[in-house]
Amino acid sequence: FAPAGKDYIVQEFGLQITGASASLRTSWQPLREAGASCRALLVSAAAQVWAVNESDILTSGGECRHKGSNRALTYGELASLAASQPLPSEVPLKAASEFRLIGKQNQRLDAKAKSFGQAHYGIDSEQEGLVYAVLSRAPSAGASLASVDASAAEAMPGVLKVVETPLGVGVIAETYWQARQAQSQLKLEWQDGPLKGLSTASVFAQYAQDLDQESGDTVRKEGDLDSANEQASAYWEAEYRAPYLAHATLEPQNCTAWIHEGRCDVWAPTQGPDIAKYVARRASGLAADDIHIHQTLLGGGFGRRLNQDYVSEAVELAKHIDRPVKLIWSREEDTQHDLYRPASLHRFRAALDSEGKAISWHHRIACPRVIDHYARDAAGALSPDWSPHGMVSFAAKMAPLISPDVSAIEGAEDVPYGFEHIRVEHVLSDPGVPITYWRAVGHSFNGFMVETFIDELAHQAGEDPLQYRLDLLKGHPRLRGVLEKAAQAAGWGSNPGEGRALGIAVHKSFHSYVAQVAEISLEGESIRVHRVVCAVDCGLAVNPDIVRAQMESGIIFGLTAALSGEIDFADGKVVQSNFHDYPLLRMNETPDIEVIITDSDEAPTGVGEPGLPPIAPAVGNAYFRLTGKRLRQLPLKPGSAA
């Protein structure tokens, strides 16, 4: 797990975890070296068996073969002897010209199972004697249970137990439907928490007030902004806002836990099995060696399944019955009790010279930091300060990964455009809404802000948005490269047709470079995206089909957020509840997507998230070219145009 700007290797921290588009990027070199070392041991073993030189042995197809005699031994036959050979201190790695699989189109190993309904997700876990559970949680984060009357629920058919836990009130029943029906009969009263009275309007009012009154932390400073302001003939200013967002994984949160015979078994769709193990250990009170995590496929992660609240809940409930317990969140619970992508407010100001060209860049951000929602407890672990058993991590081992926290400023502090005077400031403003990592994290909103404002500056300068970017990216050949590829493939500069327009954006995140051109039109009061051309430079594409699929996925996920994603609050509670008011992009709304992968000899970089940040600004910039009106608020609703 490697946050932006850091190259931590999972093995260095002893963690099994996937996030920050880092799995391949951080494992590429260690896995190559491990494979080459294994090959060297097998060759050494074969040479010993045949009493020949190692240079006379070839390896392929699971065999070691002697050049002269054509004798062969399988890797399995050599495994025991190979394991006794001394591990080489250095091994030569295969040259790129010798790659048989790397860089080629290869079928996904999970494609067949997923296509034929054989894939095993967390919600598919079935054990003998399984019972089902649901949990009623506080209606707003931080609220506490005042009283409970479970008599009606306990009398219902199939109900085994009603349990009070530190996380809410659980119902355990023979079937999921029986548990849900009984849940509706619980009479619960809650004591208001710190979010009492909070609304979407109050969140942005707090952000605005803090931007007005606080100087914040300067996270980047180049040149002399005061001098630029003195030279200015005019200024261009803009304010942008991004909402809270839910993860909306298609598989809602779930976990099966079984405490028996002095051990705890957990079946969970998790991005961090080691985090799940620690959480289960805390909830059960058992030793680490007695916790057994059974990893399943995820029905969507997007950062949500780094948090292990659903694991803790299942283990807490499993302590009350000697049978495996499957906890399932409803879609409504998943929407209203998520940990959200933080909302943010941004103010930009650029000094313009007499020709309307920007000579400075000043970006101020108001929003919370993810790390501040994880308080260090007495054991040195990290857990959300509003939940006693939420995401828990690994004390000092984890600290270097998440400090300093750049979740609010990534994609803004490293703005690549070559202005002489740059200042980026972060004002820490936290309304208290529970937040966590969301696909592309800070890049998901800063990409929109930066790429929209640069488009505004191009317009003020009277220049083509593509050429304006290229001129300011002279020190960034890889960004320029994807911009030029996407623009050429999309037909930038040509007329896309009556009632249509093109918009462009480029962004670097997780060490990868992505440019996108969106072609849009208006259908009534809605934006229709017809086509997206995406160019990506992610170093060596180990499996181009995976890279292409991840770009398509990031674009679709990003379009969902760009066109309709919004979590609102009223009196401390989430307003949205299901896909009718938190809609996902449907198949008939999905544009044609063309992905261009840059040939590269550079080491592989991230692809899980970099496809997302450019899509919202590309669509918004296209809307401006079509209508002459600027959208500065997400989601992109024509009624909010400036």
Side-chain angles (χ1 to χ4, degrees), residues 225-366:
L225 194 65
D226 294 334
S227 175
N229 290 338
E230 291 174 1
Q231 301 171 33
S233 297
Y235 298 97
W236 189 252
E237 298 177 320
E239 183 174 279
Y240 300 85
R241 57 188 276 181
Y244 291 103
L245 292 176
H247 295 80
T249 60
L250 286 183
E251 178 191 28
Q253 310 317 305
N254 67 90
C255 178
T256 300
W258 187 17
I259 298 176
H260 62 114
E261 299 176 353
R263 61 181 277 162
C264 176
D265 286 273
V266 172
W267 292 264
T270 171
Q271 290 177 244
D274 283 332
I275 309 177
K277 182 169 186 174
Y278 195 94
V279 167
R281 177 186 173 188
R282 283 189 56 172
S284 67
L286 297 173
D289 289 345
D290 297 321
I291 307 297
H292 302 271
I293 304 298
H294 306 270
Q295 175 74 49
T296 69
L297 291 174
L298 313 184
F302 318 127
R304 175 61 180 92
R305 297 189 204 268
L306 286 169
N307 296 72
Q308 311 293 319
D309 45 353
Y310 53 97
V311 174
S312 183
E313 291 174 347
V315 174
E316 286 283 354
L317 292 168
K319 291 192 296 185
H320 296 273
I321 191 167
D322 189 22
R323 293 170 68 175
V325 177
K326 181 190 287 188
L327 170 72
I328 301 176
W329 292 37
S330 69
R331 177 60 58 194
E332 288 77 11
E333 291 166 345
D334 204 37
T335 302
Q336 297 184 325
H337 297 278
D338 200 351
L339 298 93
Y340 303 96
R341 199 280 303 272
S344 58
L345 185 66
H346 304 247
R347 289 177 182 168
F348 286 86
R349 191 184 201 216
L352 308 181
D353 65 16
S354 58
E355 297 179 352
K357 292 188 177 181
I359 58 175
S360 71
W361 177 277
H362 190 190
H363 181 183
R364 306 195 74 225
I365 306 165

Side-chain angles (χ1 to χ4, degrees), residues 212 343 368 374 416 530 594:
D212 289 339
Y374 297 88
H530 299 276
E594 177 184 348

Side-chain angles (χ1 to χ4, degrees), residues 341 406-412 438 440-447 507:
R341 199 280 303 272
V406 296
S407 61
I409 59 176
E410 57 187 357
W438 187 92
V441 200
H443 295 283
S444 70
F445 50 82
N446 283 319
H507 193 77

Side-chain angles (χ1 to χ4, degrees), residues 89-296:
S89 57
E90 291 186 18
V91 289
L93 299 181
K94 186 181 291 186
S97 59
E98 300 178 77
F99 289 162
R100 294 184 302 107
L101 300 174
I102 295 172
K104 310 296 193 299
Q105 295 287 132
N106 293 294
Q107 181 174 316
R108 292 178 60 122
L109 299 179
D110 58 357
K112 182 177 179 181
K114 288 180 176 178
S115 298
F116 289 92
Q118 299 163 343
H120 184 78
Y121 294 90
I123 209 165
D124 298 321
S125 297
E126 296 286 344
Q127 289 76 38
E128 186 176 353
L130 181 72
V131 295
Y132 292 81
V134 299
L135 190 74
S136 296
R137 301 163 189 84
S140 65
S144 57
L145 184 66
S147 67
V148 55
D149 179 355
S151 56
E154 290 172 328
M156 294 184 70
V159 174
L160 302 173
K161 286 191 176 183
V162 176
V163 178
E164 290 186 47
T165 78
L167 303 167
V169 180
V171 177
I172 304 173
E174 292 288 353
T175 70
Y176 175 69
W177 180 246
Q178 289 171 332
R180 277 284 168 226
Q181 291 296 99
Q183 182 189 39
S184 68
Q185 298 303 307
L186 292 173
K187 296 178 181 179
L188 306 176
E189 293 185 6
W190 301 91
Q191 181 68 41
D192 290 334
L195 297 190
K196 170 68 175 175
L198 180 126
S199 67
T200 301
S202 70
V203 167
F204 284 100
Q206 175 182 324
Y207 287 162
Q209 178 177 306
D210 289 344
L211 280 176
D212 289 339
Q213 298 178 356
E214 303 291 336
S215 58
D217 295 324
T218 299
V219 297
R220 182 174 175 185
K221 183 178 180 181
E222 293 180 11
D224 186 341
L225 194 65
D226 294 334
S227 175
N229 290 338
E230 291 174 1
Q231 301 171 33
S233 297
Y235 298 97
W236 189 252
E237 298 177 320
E239 183 174 279
Y240 300 85
R241 57 188 276 181
Y244 291 103
L245 292 176
H247 295 80
T249 60
L250 286 183
E251 178 191 28
Q253 310 317 305
N254 67 90
C255 178
T256 300
W258 187 17
I259 298 176
H260 62 114
E261 299 176 353
R263 61 181 277 162
C264 176
D265 286 273
V266 172
W267 292 264
T270 171
Q271 290 177 244
D274 283 332
I275 309 177
K277 182 169 186 174
Y278 195 94
V279 167
R281 177 186 173 188
R282 283 189 56 172
S284 67
L286 297 173
D289 289 345
D290 297 321
I291 307 297
H292 302 271
I293 304 298
H294 306 270
Q295 175 74 49
T296 69

Side-chain angles (χ1 to χ4, degrees), residues 39-54:
R39 178 187 179 280
L41 295 176
L42 291 164
V43 168
S44 176
Q48 184 175 325
V49 170
W50 294 323
V52 298
N53 293 327
E54 292 182 9

Side-chain angles (χ1 to χ4, degrees), residues 421-599:
H421 311 284
I422 297 176
R423 186 182 297 170
V424 181
E425 297 162 339
H426 174 227
V427 174
L428 179 59
S429 186
D430 193 344
V433 173
I435 60 172
T436 192
Y437 301 101
W438 187 92
R439 193 173 189 173
V441 200
H443 295 283
S444 70
F445 50 82
N446 283 319
F448 171 73
M449 314 305 173
V450 168
E451 281 301 295
T452 305
F453 192 63
I454 199 72
D455 218 68
E456 294 203 38
L457 296 183
H459 179 71
Q460 292 305 307
E463 296 188 14
D464 174 79
L466 170 62
Q467 191 59 50
Y468 188 77
R469 287 173 169 82
L470 292 173
D471 290 343
L472 288 169
L473 291 171
K474 289 184 175 160
H476 299 273
R478 296 177 77 177
L479 281 172
R480 287 173 57 91
V482 292
L483 261 175
E484 290 169 338
K485 285 182 173 66
Q488 181 179 7
W492 186 266
S494 62
N495 186 351
E498 183 67 25
R500 296 195 179 192
L502 303 180
I504 195 165
V506 65
H507 193 77
K508 176 189 175 185
S509 62
F510 307 96
H511 302 271
S512 292
Y513 307 80
V514 179
Q516 291 169 5
V517 176
E519 179 181 326
I520 74 158
S521 69
L522 290 181
E523 293 186 355
E525 293 299 313
S526 301
I527 296 173
R528 175 67 185 226
V529 183
H530 299 276
R531 181 186 181 212
V532 176
V533 177
C534 170
V536 53
D537 179 349
C538 58
L540 174 64
V542 173
N543 187 338
D545 189 53
I546 295 290
V547 174
R548 186 169 290 106
Q550 288 282 24
M551 291 301 112
E552 293 168 346
S553 169
I555 288 166
I556 292 170
F557 196 85
L559 272 178
T560 288
L563 299 178
S564 59
E566 191 169 22
I567 287 291
D568 293 306
F569 284 85
D571 196 20
K573 303 171 188 176
V574 173
V575 173
Q576 288 79 11
S577 63
N578 207 314
F579 290 146
H580 71 286
D581 55 6
Y582 194 81
L584 305 186
L585 196 74
R586 295 179 178 271
M587 291 180 69
N588 67 311
E589 298 170 316
T590 302
D592 293 331
I593 301 174
E594 177 184 348
V595 178
I596 303 158
I597 302 172
T598 300
D599 291 331

